[in-house]
Amino acid sequence: MANKPVLAANWKLNPTTAGEAAALVQGIVEAARNQDRVTVAIFPPFLWILGVLELLEGTGIELGAQDCFWEPSGPYTGEVSAAMLAGVCQWVIVGHSERRAMGETDEVVARKAGAALAAKLSTIVCVGENQEQHDAGQAAQVVTAQVGASLAQASADDSERLVLAYEPVWAIGTGKNADPEHAYKQMRLIRDAATKLIGPKAGQNVRVVYGGSVNAANVEQYVELPQCDGCLVGGASLKADEFSTMIRSTAGVYSAAVQ
Ligand code: PGA
């Protein structure tokens, strides 16, 4: 089914060994298998992707990378291209704030998103204001500008595969999750900004998710929000029991919503 809500596990630079990665996958398989309401996608570091791919066979859990490069191949030491990923996994994240903080500009994010969408990857594009911008009342303006610039190469045809993640920088890894009302307002703005770029029908198809200190205790507050199509989870996705609980409760909220 197109456009199922998504619960995405961004493992970041974790875990350190292949054995730990395998244990983490095995710990969430059962929760993911026993439901069909939510797409569960995991994003291991590049090095673990092929090993995890084998473990995921038959589980229904989808697989993605945390970043990609826009050129398909060539003299780019250290890079992994969207074209390469497309042969191995279904998903990619681009424009995460931890990469933007290391110098990745909107222009770079737009090239990565363009290449990922062209390679037919489901693509999560992250946007979000930082603490200073939040305190200065610039949250709306910042995310609107980031969506506009980051989607410079996206079109209406990409809408089924495009996921926009509202990830306020001040909420990531801090335990300070955004107030659901603030998240809702920002997510609406993000959808509106996407709609302006790719048109009303496509704008409705795009999934908009929340990320930033989401855990088992607060995930329902977000997935219950109107037009929230899931969550991007960092820290809590590294604890198999907690992430399993989150899969179950998210699936529960979405199955209640369609009844
Ligand atoms: P967090 O990370 O859940 O640890 O805050 C979210 C993210 O960075 O995607």
Side-chain angles (χ1 to χ4, degrees), residues 10 12 96-98 167 171-175 211-214 232-236:
N10 176 12
K12 307 189 181 183
H96 192 282
S97 65
E98 287 156 10
E167 293 219 307
I172 295 176
T174 59
S213 295
V214 182
L232 179 51
V233 185

Side-chain angles (χ1 to χ4, degrees), residues 6 42 62 89-90 96 102 126 129 134 179 208 234 243 257:
V6 59
I42 58 180
E62 300 190 358
C89 57
Q90 302 96 327
H96 192 282
M102 291 189 285
C126 302
E129 78 281 1
H134 186 75
D179 178 69
V208 183
F243 195 64

